[in-house]
mmCIF file of all heavy atoms in Angstrom:
data_model
loop_
_atom_site.group_PDB
_atom_site.id
_atom_site.type_symbol
_atom_site.label_atom_id
_atom_site.label_comp_id
_atom_site.label_asym_id
_atom_site.label_seq_id
_atom_site.Cartn_x
_atom_site.Cartn_y
_atom_site.Cartn_z
ATOM 1 N N MET A 87 35.487 38.978 -32.746
ATOM 2 C CA MET A 87 36.272 37.789 -32.428
ATOM 3 C C MET A 87 36.763 37.851 -30.985
ATOM 4 O O MET A 87 37.401 38.808 -30.580
ATOM 5 C CB MET A 87 37.454 37.701 -33.385
ATOM 6 C CG MET A 87 38.205 36.393 -33.277
ATOM 7 S SD MET A 87 39.439 36.294 -34.570
ATOM 8 C CE MET A 87 40.848 35.766 -33.608
ATOM 9 N N ALA A 88 36.455 36.837 -30.226
ATOM 10 C CA ALA A 88 36.798 36.822 -28.806
ATOM 11 C C ALA A 88 38.258 36.450 -28.579
ATOM 12 O O ALA A 88 38.893 35.853 -29.434
ATOM 13 C CB ALA A 88 35.910 35.823 -28.079
ATOM 14 N N TYR A 89 38.746 36.820 -27.400
ATOM 15 C CA TYR A 89 40.097 36.418 -27.021
ATOM 16 C C TYR A 89 40.066 34.945 -26.641
ATOM 17 O O TYR A 89 39.023 34.396 -26.285
ATOM 18 C CB TYR A 89 40.578 37.267 -25.845
ATOM 19 C CG TYR A 89 41.108 38.611 -26.288
ATOM 20 C CD1 TYR A 89 40.240 39.614 -26.718
ATOM 21 C CD2 TYR A 89 42.475 38.871 -26.307
ATOM 22 C CE1 TYR A 89 40.727 40.841 -27.155
ATOM 23 C CE2 TYR A 89 42.972 40.096 -26.738
ATOM 24 C CZ TYR A 89 42.092 41.077 -27.160
ATOM 25 O OH TYR A 89 42.570 42.290 -27.593
ATOM 26 N N LYS A 90 41.250 34.298 -26.715
ATOM 27 C CA LYS A 90 41.326 32.880 -26.399
ATOM 28 C C LYS A 90 42.475 32.598 -25.445
ATOM 29 O O LYS A 90 43.493 33.287 -25.467
ATOM 30 C CB LYS A 90 41.559 32.073 -27.684
ATOM 31 C CG LYS A 90 40.360 32.038 -28.613
ATOM 32 C CD LYS A 90 40.478 30.835 -29.561
ATOM 33 C CE LYS A 90 39.222 30.683 -30.394
ATOM 34 N NZ LYS A 90 39.280 31.427 -31.643
ATOM 35 N N ILE A 91 42.314 31.571 -24.625
ATOM 36 C CA ILE A 91 43.361 31.159 -23.701
ATOM 37 C C ILE A 91 43.983 29.879 -24.257
ATOM 38 O O ILE A 91 43.291 28.911 -24.542
ATOM 39 C CB ILE A 91 42.784 30.911 -22.294
ATOM 40 C CG1 ILE A 91 42.172 32.221 -21.759
ATOM 41 C CG2 ILE A 91 43.868 30.396 -21.357
ATOM 42 C CD1 ILE A 91 41.499 32.109 -20.406
ATOM 43 N N SER A 92 45.316 29.912 -24.425
ATOM 44 C CA SER A 92 45.999 28.767 -25.032
ATOM 45 C C SER A 92 46.364 27.695 -24.010
ATOM 46 O O SER A 92 46.155 27.851 -22.804
ATOM 47 C CB SER A 92 47.295 29.244 -25.701
ATOM 48 O OG SER A 92 48.272 29.498 -24.707
ATOM 49 N N ALA A 93 46.968 26.612 -24.500
ATOM 50 C CA ALA A 93 47.382 25.493 -23.656
ATOM 51 C C ALA A 93 48.513 25.896 -22.711
ATOM 52 O O ALA A 93 48.868 25.151 -21.803
ATOM 53 C CB ALA A 93 47.825 24.323 -24.526
ATOM 54 N N GLU A 94 49.090 27.098 -22.929
ATOM 55 C CA GLU A 94 50.144 27.600 -22.039
ATOM 56 C C GLU A 94 49.602 27.924 -20.654
ATOM 57 O O GLU A 94 50.347 28.074 -19.689
ATOM 58 C CB GLU A 94 50.760 28.876 -22.618
ATOM 59 C CG GLU A 94 51.331 28.736 -24.019
ATOM 60 C CD GLU A 94 52.524 27.805 -24.041
ATOM 61 O OE1 GLU A 94 53.456 28.034 -23.267
ATOM 62 O OE2 GLU A 94 52.496 26.844 -24.825
ATOM 63 N N CYS A 95 48.289 28.078 -20.567
ATOM 64 C CA CYS A 95 47.620 28.447 -19.303
ATOM 65 C C CYS A 95 48.031 27.508 -18.178
ATOM 66 O O CYS A 95 48.014 26.292 -18.322
ATOM 67 C CB CYS A 95 46.103 28.382 -19.513
ATOM 68 S SG CYS A 95 45.120 28.578 -18.001
ATOM 69 N N VAL A 96 48.419 28.114 -17.025
ATOM 70 C CA VAL A 96 48.830 27.311 -15.866
ATOM 71 C C VAL A 96 47.717 27.275 -14.812
ATOM 72 O O VAL A 96 47.946 26.901 -13.664
ATOM 73 C CB VAL A 96 50.146 27.840 -15.252
ATOM 74 C CG1 VAL A 96 51.307 27.601 -16.204
ATOM 75 C CG2 VAL A 96 50.047 29.317 -14.888
ATOM 76 N N SER A 97 46.515 27.705 -15.217
ATOM 77 C CA SER A 97 45.337 27.681 -14.344
ATOM 78 C C SER A 97 45.540 28.415 -13.023
ATOM 79 O O SER A 97 45.059 27.971 -11.984
ATOM 80 C CB SER A 97 44.904 26.234 -14.071
ATOM 81 O OG SER A 97 44.484 25.626 -15.270
ATOM 82 N N CYS A 98 46.237 29.549 -13.086
ATOM 83 C CA CYS A 98 46.462 30.320 -11.855
ATOM 84 C C CYS A 98 45.226 31.123 -11.463
ATOM 85 O O CYS A 98 45.059 31.482 -10.310
ATOM 86 C CB CYS A 98 47.668 31.243 -12.017
ATOM 87 S SG CYS A 98 47.410 32.624 -13.162
ATOM 88 N N GLY A 99 44.387 31.445 -12.470
ATOM 89 C CA GLY A 99 43.157 32.182 -12.184
ATOM 90 C C GLY A 99 43.318 33.693 -12.108
ATOM 91 O O GLY A 99 42.358 34.401 -11.785
ATOM 92 N N ALA A 100 44.505 34.209 -12.411
ATOM 93 C CA ALA A 100 44.761 35.652 -12.305
ATOM 94 C C ALA A 100 43.842 36.482 -13.200
ATOM 95 O O ALA A 100 43.488 37.610 -12.868
ATOM 96 C CB ALA A 100 46.216 35.951 -12.652
ATOM 97 N N CYS A 101 43.432 35.942 -14.322
ATOM 98 C CA CYS A 101 42.622 36.687 -15.280
ATOM 99 C C CYS A 101 41.152 36.800 -14.883
ATOM 100 O O CYS A 101 40.466 37.749 -15.274
ATOM 101 C CB CYS A 101 42.702 36.008 -16.649
ATOM 102 S SG CYS A 101 42.208 34.255 -16.629
ATOM 103 N N VAL A 102 40.673 35.848 -14.131
ATOM 104 C CA VAL A 102 39.235 35.745 -13.844
ATOM 105 C C VAL A 102 38.639 37.041 -13.283
ATOM 106 O O VAL A 102 37.631 37.539 -13.774
ATOM 107 C CB VAL A 102 38.943 34.571 -12.885
ATOM 108 C CG1 VAL A 102 37.478 34.538 -12.505
ATOM 109 C CG2 VAL A 102 39.337 33.255 -13.539
ATOM 110 N N GLY A 103 39.292 37.592 -12.257
ATOM 111 C CA GLY A 103 38.770 38.785 -11.610
ATOM 112 C C GLY A 103 38.929 40.053 -12.432
ATOM 113 O O GLY A 103 38.332 41.073 -12.117
ATOM 114 N N GLU A 104 39.748 40.006 -13.476
ATOM 115 C CA GLU A 104 39.997 41.188 -14.302
ATOM 116 C C GLU A 104 38.904 41.419 -15.337
ATOM 117 O O GLU A 104 38.670 42.537 -15.775
ATOM 118 C CB GLU A 104 41.345 41.049 -15.030
ATOM 119 C CG GLU A 104 42.544 40.898 -14.117
ATOM 120 C CD GLU A 104 42.730 42.125 -13.223
ATOM 121 O OE1 GLU A 104 42.560 43.245 -13.706
ATOM 122 O OE2 GLU A 104 43.028 41.924 -12.030
ATOM 123 N N CYS A 105 38.247 40.366 -15.751
ATOM 124 C CA CYS A 105 37.251 40.479 -16.835
ATOM 125 C C CYS A 105 35.993 41.227 -16.365
ATOM 126 O O CYS A 105 35.333 40.807 -15.423
ATOM 127 C CB CYS A 105 36.872 39.084 -17.324
ATOM 128 S SG CYS A 105 35.649 39.141 -18.659
ATOM 129 N N PRO A 106 35.660 42.330 -17.052
ATOM 130 C CA PRO A 106 34.507 43.142 -16.648
ATOM 131 C C PRO A 106 33.156 42.483 -16.901
ATOM 132 O O PRO A 106 32.138 42.916 -16.357
ATOM 133 C CB PRO A 106 34.669 44.415 -17.481
ATOM 134 C CG PRO A 106 35.409 43.967 -18.692
ATOM 135 C CD PRO A 106 36.364 42.903 -18.198
ATOM 136 N N VAL A 107 33.153 41.448 -17.729
ATOM 137 C CA VAL A 107 31.867 40.806 -18.045
ATOM 138 C C VAL A 107 31.814 39.342 -17.587
ATOM 139 O O VAL A 107 30.956 38.567 -18.033
ATOM 140 C CB VAL A 107 31.561 40.904 -19.563
ATOM 141 C CG1 VAL A 107 31.332 42.354 -19.966
ATOM 142 C CG2 VAL A 107 32.665 40.282 -20.390
ATOM 143 N N ASP A 108 32.760 38.944 -16.713
ATOM 144 C CA ASP A 108 32.800 37.577 -16.181
ATOM 145 C C ASP A 108 32.767 36.501 -17.257
ATOM 146 O O ASP A 108 32.020 35.523 -17.148
ATOM 147 C CB ASP A 108 31.626 37.349 -15.209
ATOM 148 C CG ASP A 108 31.865 38.027 -13.867
ATOM 149 O OD1 ASP A 108 33.045 38.211 -13.507
ATOM 150 O OD2 ASP A 108 30.884 38.375 -13.194
ATOM 151 N N ALA A 109 33.578 36.700 -18.300
ATOM 152 C CA ALA A 109 33.583 35.752 -19.406
ATOM 153 C C ALA A 109 34.557 34.599 -19.206
ATOM 154 O O ALA A 109 34.557 33.641 -19.968
ATOM 155 C CB ALA A 109 33.927 36.484 -20.709
ATOM 156 N N ILE A 110 35.399 34.693 -18.154
ATOM 157 C CA ILE A 110 36.434 33.673 -17.962
ATOM 158 C C ILE A 110 36.062 32.711 -16.843
ATOM 159 O O ILE A 110 35.671 33.118 -15.756
ATOM 160 C CB ILE A 110 37.793 34.325 -17.646
ATOM 161 C CG1 ILE A 110 38.127 35.387 -18.704
ATOM 162 C CG2 ILE A 110 38.897 33.260 -17.593
ATOM 163 C CD1 ILE A 110 39.396 36.171 -18.418
ATOM 164 N N SER A 111 36.180 31.415 -17.151
ATOM 165 C CA SER A 111 35.878 30.405 -16.137
ATOM 166 C C SER A 111 36.850 29.241 -16.273
ATOM 167 O O SER A 111 37.541 29.093 -17.288
ATOM 168 C CB SER A 111 34.447 29.899 -16.296
ATOM 169 O OG SER A 111 34.290 29.304 -17.566
ATOM 170 N N GLN A 112 36.897 28.420 -15.249
ATOM 171 C CA GLN A 112 37.810 27.289 -15.261
ATOM 172 C C GLN A 112 37.253 26.175 -16.132
ATOM 173 O O GLN A 112 36.131 25.711 -15.926
ATOM 174 C CB GLN A 112 38.029 26.778 -13.839
ATOM 175 C CG GLN A 112 39.205 25.832 -13.722
ATOM 176 C CD GLN A 112 39.633 25.636 -12.267
ATOM 177 O OE1 GLN A 112 38.873 25.906 -11.349
ATOM 178 N NE2 GLN A 112 40.848 25.160 -12.073
ATOM 179 N N GLY A 113 38.044 25.728 -17.113
ATOM 180 C CA GLY A 113 37.617 24.639 -17.978
ATOM 181 C C GLY A 113 38.158 23.327 -17.470
ATOM 182 O O GLY A 113 38.656 23.248 -16.352
ATOM 183 N N GLU A 114 38.110 22.297 -18.295
ATOM 184 C CA GLU A 114 38.579 20.985 -17.855
ATOM 185 C C GLU A 114 40.083 20.949 -17.646
ATOM 186 O O GLU A 114 40.572 20.360 -16.691
ATOM 187 C CB GLU A 114 38.167 19.920 -18.865
ATOM 188 C CG GLU A 114 36.862 19.253 -18.469
ATOM 189 C CD GLU A 114 36.429 18.188 -19.464
ATOM 190 O OE1 GLU A 114 37.275 17.397 -19.899
ATOM 191 O OE2 GLU A 114 35.240 18.179 -19.792
ATOM 192 N N THR A 115 40.832 21.576 -18.560
ATOM 193 C CA THR A 115 42.282 21.565 -18.419
ATOM 194 C C THR A 115 42.835 22.963 -18.187
ATOM 195 O O THR A 115 43.651 23.170 -17.300
ATOM 196 C CB THR A 115 42.953 20.953 -19.669
ATOM 197 O OG1 THR A 115 42.466 21.628 -20.834
ATOM 198 C CG2 THR A 115 42.628 19.486 -19.781
ATOM 199 N N VAL A 116 42.388 23.925 -18.961
ATOM 200 C CA VAL A 116 42.835 25.304 -18.796
ATOM 201 C C VAL A 116 41.618 26.209 -18.641
ATOM 202 O O VAL A 116 40.483 25.759 -18.810
ATOM 203 C CB VAL A 116 43.675 25.784 -20.010
ATOM 204 C CG1 VAL A 116 44.923 24.936 -20.152
ATOM 205 C CG2 VAL A 116 42.860 25.756 -21.291
ATOM 206 N N TYR A 117 41.862 27.483 -18.310
ATOM 207 C CA TYR A 117 40.752 28.412 -18.193
ATOM 208 C C TYR A 117 40.207 28.708 -19.596
ATOM 209 O O TYR A 117 40.920 28.586 -20.587
ATOM 210 C CB TYR A 117 41.197 29.695 -17.492
ATOM 211 C CG TYR A 117 41.129 29.563 -15.984
ATOM 212 C CD1 TYR A 117 42.059 28.772 -15.306
ATOM 213 C CD2 TYR A 117 40.135 30.202 -15.250
ATOM 214 C CE1 TYR A 117 41.987 28.624 -13.932
ATOM 215 C CE2 TYR A 117 40.065 30.058 -13.865
ATOM 216 C CZ TYR A 117 40.991 29.271 -13.212
ATOM 217 O OH TYR A 117 40.911 29.109 -11.847
ATOM 218 N N GLU A 118 38.948 29.097 -19.650
ATOM 219 C CA GLU A 118 38.300 29.337 -20.944
ATOM 220 C C GLU A 118 37.613 30.700 -20.968
ATOM 221 O O GLU A 118 37.137 31.179 -19.951
ATOM 222 C CB GLU A 118 37.237 28.266 -21.200
ATOM 223 C CG GLU A 118 37.813 26.871 -21.302
ATOM 224 C CD GLU A 118 36.740 25.783 -21.333
ATOM 225 O OE1 GLU A 118 35.571 26.058 -20.960
ATOM 226 O OE2 GLU A 118 37.083 24.664 -21.733
ATOM 227 N N ILE A 119 37.539 31.274 -22.167
ATOM 228 C CA ILE A 119 36.828 32.535 -22.354
ATOM 229 C C ILE A 119 35.558 32.246 -23.149
ATOM 230 O O ILE A 119 35.610 31.658 -24.229
ATOM 231 C CB ILE A 119 37.697 33.564 -23.100
ATOM 232 C CG1 ILE A 119 38.896 33.949 -22.231
ATOM 233 C CG2 ILE A 119 36.870 34.797 -23.457
ATOM 234 C CD1 ILE A 119 39.900 34.864 -22.921
ATOM 235 N N ASN A 120 34.432 32.643 -22.619
ATOM 236 C CA ASN A 120 33.152 32.456 -23.304
ATOM 237 C C ASN A 120 33.095 33.453 -24.467
ATOM 238 O O ASN A 120 33.035 34.669 -24.256
ATOM 239 C CB ASN A 120 31.999 32.703 -22.323
ATOM 240 C CG ASN A 120 30.645 32.437 -22.955
ATOM 241 O OD1 ASN A 120 30.432 32.651 -24.149
ATOM 242 N ND2 ASN A 120 29.712 31.974 -22.155
ATOM 243 N N ALA A 121 33.137 32.939 -25.677
ATOM 244 C CA ALA A 121 33.173 33.787 -26.875
ATOM 245 C C ALA A 121 31.908 34.615 -27.046
ATOM 246 O O ALA A 121 31.918 35.662 -27.689
ATOM 247 C CB ALA A 121 33.411 32.927 -28.109
ATOM 248 N N ASP A 122 30.812 34.153 -26.487
ATOM 249 C CA ASP A 122 29.550 34.885 -26.623
ATOM 250 C C ASP A 122 29.476 36.064 -25.659
ATOM 251 O O ASP A 122 28.758 37.035 -25.887
ATOM 252 C CB ASP A 122 28.362 33.956 -26.356
ATOM 253 C CG ASP A 122 28.235 32.880 -27.416
ATOM 254 O OD1 ASP A 122 28.619 33.148 -28.567
ATOM 255 O OD2 ASP A 122 27.780 31.775 -27.078
ATOM 256 N N THR A 123 30.230 35.959 -24.556
ATOM 257 C CA THR A 123 30.194 37.000 -23.524
ATOM 258 C C THR A 123 31.311 38.025 -23.686
ATOM 259 O O THR A 123 31.128 39.208 -23.422
ATOM 260 C CB THR A 123 30.321 36.357 -22.123
ATOM 261 O OG1 THR A 123 29.395 35.277 -22.018
ATOM 262 C CG2 THR A 123 30.038 37.362 -21.025
ATOM 263 N N CYS A 124 32.482 37.568 -24.138
ATOM 264 C CA CYS A 124 33.667 38.424 -24.291
ATOM 265 C C CYS A 124 33.365 39.619 -25.195
ATOM 266 O O CYS A 124 32.780 39.466 -26.265
ATOM 267 C CB CYS A 124 34.810 37.601 -24.877
ATOM 268 S SG CYS A 124 36.311 38.540 -25.241
ATOM 269 N N ILE A 125 33.778 40.815 -24.722
ATOM 270 C CA ILE A 125 33.551 42.029 -25.513
ATOM 271 C C ILE A 125 34.852 42.538 -26.148
ATOM 272 O O ILE A 125 34.949 43.696 -26.558
ATOM 273 C CB ILE A 125 32.911 43.140 -24.644
ATOM 274 C CG1 ILE A 125 33.755 43.392 -23.379
ATOM 275 C CG2 ILE A 125 31.475 42.767 -24.257
ATOM 276 C CD1 ILE A 125 33.307 44.619 -22.573
ATOM 277 N N ASP A 126 35.862 41.675 -26.197
ATOM 278 C CA ASP A 126 37.134 42.008 -26.851
ATOM 279 C C ASP A 126 37.849 43.215 -26.252
ATOM 280 O O ASP A 126 38.477 43.980 -26.983
ATOM 281 C CB ASP A 126 36.919 42.262 -28.353
ATOM 282 C CG ASP A 126 36.610 40.997 -29.121
ATOM 283 O OD1 ASP A 126 36.943 39.908 -28.620
ATOM 284 O OD2 ASP A 126 36.039 41.100 -30.223
ATOM 285 N N CYS A 127 37.760 43.410 -24.957
ATOM 286 C CA CYS A 127 38.390 44.594 -24.357
ATOM 287 C C CYS A 127 39.893 44.425 -24.199
ATOM 288 O O CYS A 127 40.628 45.395 -24.165
ATOM 289 C CB CYS A 127 37.746 44.908 -23.010
ATOM 290 S SG CYS A 127 38.150 43.723 -21.696
ATOM 291 N N GLY A 128 40.361 43.175 -24.043
ATOM 292 C CA GLY A 128 41.790 42.916 -23.923
ATOM 293 C C GLY A 128 42.379 43.088 -22.532
ATOM 294 O O GLY A 128 43.586 42.928 -22.340
ATOM 295 N N VAL A 129 41.563 43.404 -21.558
ATOM 296 C CA VAL A 129 42.046 43.639 -20.194
ATOM 297 C C VAL A 129 42.745 42.399 -19.615
ATOM 298 O O VAL A 129 43.732 42.504 -18.894
ATOM 299 C CB VAL A 129 40.876 44.062 -19.271
ATOM 300 C CG1 VAL A 129 41.260 43.955 -17.802
ATOM 301 C CG2 VAL A 129 40.463 45.490 -19.587
ATOM 302 N N CYS A 130 42.257 41.224 -19.950
ATOM 303 C CA CYS A 130 42.808 39.992 -19.395
ATOM 304 C C CYS A 130 44.217 39.683 -19.884
ATOM 305 O O CYS A 130 44.986 39.023 -19.188
ATOM 306 C CB CYS A 130 41.897 38.817 -19.717
ATOM 307 S SG CYS A 130 41.511 38.643 -21.484
ATOM 308 N N VAL A 131 44.570 40.165 -21.065
ATOM 309 C CA VAL A 131 45.852 39.818 -21.672
ATOM 310 C C VAL A 131 47.033 40.130 -20.755
ATOM 311 O O VAL A 131 47.899 39.286 -20.522
ATOM 312 C CB VAL A 131 46.033 40.541 -23.026
ATOM 313 C CG1 VAL A 131 47.424 40.291 -23.600
ATOM 314 C CG2 VAL A 131 44.967 40.081 -24.016
ATOM 315 N N SER A 132 47.083 41.329 -20.201
ATOM 316 C CA SER A 132 48.218 41.719 -19.363
ATOM 317 C C SER A 132 48.168 41.091 -17.970
ATOM 318 O O SER A 132 49.151 41.116 -17.236
ATOM 319 C CB SER A 132 48.293 43.240 -19.246
ATOM 320 O OG SER A 132 47.118 43.747 -18.666
ATOM 321 N N SER A 133 47.012 40.507 -17.606
ATOM 322 C CA SER A 133 46.919 39.883 -16.292
ATOM 323 C C SER A 133 47.540 38.496 -16.269
ATOM 324 O O SER A 133 47.801 37.941 -15.207
ATOM 325 C CB SER A 133 45.432 39.775 -15.866
ATOM 326 O OG SER A 133 44.779 38.771 -16.606
ATOM 327 N N CYS A 134 47.777 37.932 -17.435
ATOM 328 C CA CYS A 134 48.302 36.566 -17.517
ATOM 329 C C CYS A 134 49.827 36.529 -17.369
ATOM 330 O O CYS A 134 50.546 37.116 -18.171
ATOM 331 C CB CYS A 134 47.905 35.932 -18.853
ATOM 332 S SG CYS A 134 48.471 34.220 -18.987
ATOM 333 N N PRO A 135 50.339 35.806 -16.353
ATOM 334 C CA PRO A 135 51.777 35.753 -16.118
ATOM 335 C C PRO A 135 52.550 34.929 -17.147
ATOM 336 O O PRO A 135 53.768 35.042 -17.242
ATOM 337 C CB PRO A 135 51.879 35.135 -14.720
ATOM 338 C CG PRO A 135 50.659 34.300 -14.600
ATOM 339 C CD PRO A 135 49.582 35.060 -15.337
ATOM 340 N N VAL A 136 51.850 34.108 -17.924
ATOM 341 C CA VAL A 136 52.547 33.272 -18.912
ATOM 342 C C VAL A 136 52.143 33.618 -20.358
ATOM 343 O O VAL A 136 52.393 32.841 -21.284
ATOM 344 C CB VAL A 136 52.313 31.766 -18.642
ATOM 345 C CG1 VAL A 136 52.927 31.355 -17.314
ATOM 346 C CG2 VAL A 136 50.824 31.420 -18.667
ATOM 347 N N ASP A 137 51.534 34.785 -20.527
ATOM 348 C CA ASP A 137 51.128 35.253 -21.868
ATOM 349 C C ASP A 137 50.301 34.220 -22.647
ATOM 350 O O ASP A 137 50.557 33.977 -23.825
ATOM 351 C CB ASP A 137 52.358 35.625 -22.701
ATOM 352 C CG ASP A 137 52.949 36.960 -22.261
ATOM 353 O OD1 ASP A 137 52.208 37.792 -21.723
ATOM 354 O OD2 ASP A 137 54.179 37.137 -22.449
ATOM 355 N N ALA A 138 49.340 33.618 -21.969
ATOM 356 C CA ALA A 138 48.542 32.583 -22.614
ATOM 357 C C ALA A 138 47.300 33.124 -23.298
ATOM 358 O O ALA A 138 46.577 32.371 -23.956
ATOM 359 C CB ALA A 138 48.142 31.527 -21.589
ATOM 360 N N ILE A 139 47.023 34.427 -23.145
ATOM 361 C CA ILE A 139 45.804 34.967 -23.724
ATOM 362 C C ILE A 139 46.101 35.837 -24.938
ATOM 363 O O ILE A 139 46.933 36.732 -24.888
ATOM 364 C CB ILE A 139 45.004 35.791 -22.680
ATOM 365 C CG1 ILE A 139 44.804 34.974 -21.405
ATOM 366 C CG2 ILE A 139 43.646 36.209 -23.274
ATOM 367 C CD1 ILE A 139 44.094 35.736 -20.283
ATOM 368 N N ALA A 140 45.434 35.528 -26.039
ATOM 369 C CA ALA A 140 45.651 36.301 -27.269
ATOM 370 C C ALA A 140 44.351 36.321 -28.060
ATOM 371 O O ALA A 140 43.431 35.548 -27.802
ATOM 372 C CB ALA A 140 46.741 35.681 -28.116
ATOM 373 N N GLU A 141 44.280 37.225 -29.028
ATOM 374 C CA GLU A 141 43.060 37.349 -29.826
ATOM 375 C C GLU A 141 43.041 36.270 -30.899
ATOM 376 O O GLU A 141 44.085 35.860 -31.382
ATOM 377 C CB GLU A 141 43.008 38.731 -30.482
ATOM 378 C CG GLU A 141 41.600 39.153 -30.845
ATOM 379 C CD GLU A 141 41.524 40.645 -31.142
ATOM 380 O OE1 GLU A 141 42.568 41.282 -31.234
ATOM 381 O OE2 GLU A 141 40.410 41.159 -31.247
HETATM 382 FE FE1 SF4 B 1292 36.931 39.493 -20.520
HETATM 383 FE FE2 SF4 B 1292 37.928 41.522 -21.947
HETATM 384 FE FE3 SF4 B 1292 39.337 39.241 -21.678
HETATM 385 FE FE4 SF4 B 1292 37.107 39.284 -23.163
HETATM 386 S S1 SF4 B 1292 39.012 40.392 -23.599
HETATM 387 S S2 SF4 B 1292 37.691 37.714 -21.658
HETATM 388 S S3 SF4 B 1292 35.819 40.743 -22.048
HETATM 389 S S4 SF4 B 1292 38.794 40.696 -20.017
#
């Protein structure tokens, strides 16, 4: 099960560079995690200043 970015996301982009498999990209409203690419490492969670990323 991949991690997900909630509507709390402020689109700061802080998580993008942290992901080892480049699974995070900018979506229409908030950033998105590609569920097929995400390896569930959890590295992005602590990079988010508004705690918008959870499993
Ligand atoms: Fe990338 Fe790991 Fe976050 Fe998945 S959990 S989006 S692999 S940093």
Side-chain angles (χ1 to χ4, degrees):
M87 189 173 133
Y89 278 73
K90 290 201 174 90
I91 299 177
S92 76
E94 303 294 306
C95 172
V96 292
S97 295
C98 70
C101 56
V102 175
E104 300 298 319
C105 180
V107 294
D108 285 333
I110 308 175
S111 61
Q112 194 165 19
E114 265 180 44
T115 53
V116 298
Y117 275 72
E118 297 171 343
I119 294 174
N120 184 327
D122 294 330
T123 311
C124 176
I125 54 171
D126 289 339
C127 71
V129 165
C130 53
V131 174
S132 60
S133 73
C134 182
V136 295
D137 285 334
I139 309 177
E141 203 165 9

